[in-house]
Amino acid sequence: ILNVEQSPQSLHVQEGDSTNFTCSFPSSNFYALHWYRWETAKSPEALFVMTLNGDEKKKGQISATLNTKEGYSYLYIKGSQPEDSATYLCASYRDDKIIFGKGTRLHILP
Amino acid sequence: DADVTQTPRNRITKTGKRIMLECSQTKGHDRMYWYRQDPGLGLRLIYYSFDVKDINKGEISDGYSVSRQAQAKFSLSLESAIPNQTALYFCATSEYNGRYNEQFFGPGTRLTVL
């Protein structure tokens, strides 16, 4: 994988349900993997940065895991709330370059 | 006060006009970036600068130029705007800590080229 790929592109989840989505990135020369949360009409804001294989990070009901050997990261949201509606971007940092994925657009349904 | 500011926030211009977007930061970061966002395409890097004397092309630099006037200021110019440069433009800063490079984004400039 040369690019950063995120799946799915878009996701509709019922309020209260849990969900997860994937970021795939080049595993060679890996430095760090960033997750950003981007609400409509706002700027992206950093959620997590992970650097080590097996890293797990948690912020409230949102958590992320990292597998640098196979080049993927999962973002989990437990018990989705309306305020979780946003685009979630991941970005791979390698060779002093940052490459963003296209994002997963999460819609929480009431 | 916002740490990363962009002016203008919205701009409508005509094909062929020269336009400058400005970015200022009070975070004291050395690294600054310009991205554009188009629906379905995510964030794409236009130019970046690691310090005042350093300018680097990003993924989509054609049709754009930049100027790093000071550590705190990084301007993006469209020499002769064309309609497919209509997009949302973000400036970002970062401070590399030896391992990762978290980006701090400005509020964005919505540019429309008619």
Side-chain angles (χ1 to χ4, degrees), chain A residues 9 30-34 36 38 41-46 49 51-52 89 93 96-103, chain B residues 9 31 33 35 37 40-43 45 48 50 88 90 94 96 98-108:
Chain A
Q9 265 190 324
F30 173 83
Y31 280 26
L33 193 284
H34 296 260
Y36 293 85
W38 190 1
K42 294 188 178 179
S43 313
E45 290 186 349
V49 56
T51 57
L52 299 175
L89 290 174
Y93 182 57
D96 221 10
K97 286 185 170 57
I98 297 169
I99 303 173
F100 281 86
K102 295 179 182 178
Chain B
R9 294 292 310 278
R31 298 183 171 199
Y33 307 79
Y35 295 91
Q37 193 259 335
L41 293 179
L43 285 171
L45 183 62
Y48 61 103
F50 285 175
L88 184 57
F90 284 101
S94 73
Y96 178 55
R99 184 63 189 172
Y100 58 84
N101 202 2
E102 180 180 331
Q103 308 270 288
F104 295 84
F105 289 87

Side-chain angles (χ1 to χ4, degrees), chain A residues 6-34:
Chain A
Q6 290 189 247
S7 63
Q9 265 190 324
S10 180
L11 192 53
H12 290 76
V13 174
Q14 206 66 43
E15 182 178 349
D17 286 353
S18 297
T19 188
N20 66 83
F21 28 92
T22 308
C23 172
S24 301
F25 55 88
S27 55
S28 60
N29 301 324
F30 173 83
Y31 280 26
L33 193 284
H34 296 260

Side-chain angles (χ1 to χ4, degrees), chain A:
Chain A
I1 296 174
L2 298 178
N3 293 320
V4 176
E5 307 283 347
Q6 290 189 247
S7 63
Q9 265 190 324
S10 180
L11 192 53
H12 290 76
V13 174
Q14 206 66 43
E15 182 178 349
D17 286 353
S18 297
T19 188
N20 66 83
F21 28 92
T22 308
C23 172
S24 301
F25 55 88
S27 55
S28 60
N29 301 324
F30 173 83
Y31 280 26
L33 193 284
H34 296 260
W35 280 101
Y36 293 85
R37 184 167 176 276
W38 190 1
E39 290 181 75
T40 302
K42 294 188 178 179
S43 313
E45 290 186 349
L47 265 179
F48 303 117
V49 56
M50 295 182 286
T51 57
L52 299 175
N53 186 45
D55 257 354
E56 290 189 28
K57 293 286 176 83
K58 188 170 163 48
K59 185 182 286 190
Q61 298 298 98
I62 303 177
S63 60
T65 60
L66 179 68
N67 182 320
T68 61
K69 294 185 190 305
E70 296 180 43
Y72 65 83
S73 175
Y74 292 135
L75 191 82
Y76 300 90
I77 302 178
K78 185 179 173 185
S80 306
Q81 298 299 308
E83 55 267 28
D84 294 323
S85 292
T87 296
Y88 292 83
L89 290 174
C90 71
S92 165
Y93 182 57
R94 62 194 285 264
D95 295 332
D96 221 10
K97 286 185 170 57
I98 297 169
I99 303 173
F100 281 86
K102 295 179 182 178
T104 291
R105 183 74 178 93
L106 177 64
H107 305 263
I108 305 301
L109 305 171

Side-chain angles (χ1 to χ4, degrees), chain B residues 20-37:
Chain B
M20 181 182 287
L21 309 183
E22 302 196 15
C23 177
S24 295
Q25 54 117 344
T26 58
K27 298 188 78 67
H29 289 168
D30 288 328
R31 298 183 171 199
M32 297 187 75
Y33 307 79
W34 275 104
Y35 295 91
R36 67 178 275 178
Q37 193 259 335

Side-chain angles (χ1 to χ4, degrees), chain B residues 73-86:
Chain B
K73 294 184 184 296
F74 192 36
S75 302
L76 177 73
S77 293
L78 286 67
E79 298 302 326
S80 179
I82 56 176
N84 79 358
Q85 291 178 311
T86 293

